[in-house]
């Protein structure tokens, strides 16, 4: 009898894992779609759609990288100017 109970728990655990995977996928789909763009399933996406997605991601990454570089240069420049001004008065 003890063996049967442990197998029932294992089966229940497997069923719950399958449900959790499905709900995680649904949560991902729901979180990645908004009113402007529809979710594209990568399994069913055409090569053109994948190329468009790749191009869009590359453009977004370049814009983010550009902002980071500008911010870094601005901060370093500001620190150098402040140090130069403080050095004159000390």
């Amino acid at each position: 009898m003890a063996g049967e109970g442990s197998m029932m728990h294992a089966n229940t655990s497997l069923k719950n894992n399958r449900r959790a995977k499905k709900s995680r996928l649904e949560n991902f789909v729901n979180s990645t779609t908004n009113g402007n763009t529809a979710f594209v399933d990568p399994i069913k996406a055409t090569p053109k759609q994948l190329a468009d997605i790749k191009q869009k991601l590359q453009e977004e990454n370049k814009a983010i990288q550009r902002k980071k570089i500008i911010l870094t240069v601005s901060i370093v420049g500001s620190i150098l100017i402040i140090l130069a001004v403080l050095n004159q008065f000390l």
Side-chain angles (χ1 to χ4, degrees):
M1 285 291 178
E4 291 177 20
S6 63
M7 282 307 297
M8 298 222 359
H9 291 296
N11 289 338
T12 303
S13 177
L14 289 173
K15 287 179 186 176
N16 289 338
N17 286 342
R18 275 189 236 126
R19 286 187 199 129
K21 286 180 185 176
K22 183 177 179 184
S23 64
R24 276 186 269 160
L25 178 62
E26 289 172 353
N27 288 339
F28 174 75
V29 169
N30 292 336
S31 67
T32 56
T33 59
N34 57 28
N36 300 333
T37 58
F39 175 74
V40 177
D41 186 6
I43 297 172
K44 297 178 183 178
T46 65
K48 170 128 176 59
Q49 287 174 323
L50 293 175
D52 290 342
I53 292 169
K54 181 179 177 181
Q55 179 68 26
K56 183 179 177 183
L57 288 174
Q58 286 176 342
E59 290 172 2
E60 290 175 358
N61 288 338
K62 284 180 184 178
I64 291 169
Q65 190 73 9
R66 204 173 301 124
K67 288 178 185 178
K68 286 181 181 179
I69 291 171
I70 291 171
L71 181 64
T72 303
V73 170
S74 300
I75 290 173
V76 170
S78 299
I79 290 172
L80 290 175
I81 291 171
I82 291 171
L83 289 175
V85 170
L86 289 175
N87 194 23
Q88 264 185 339
F89 291 114
L90 296 177

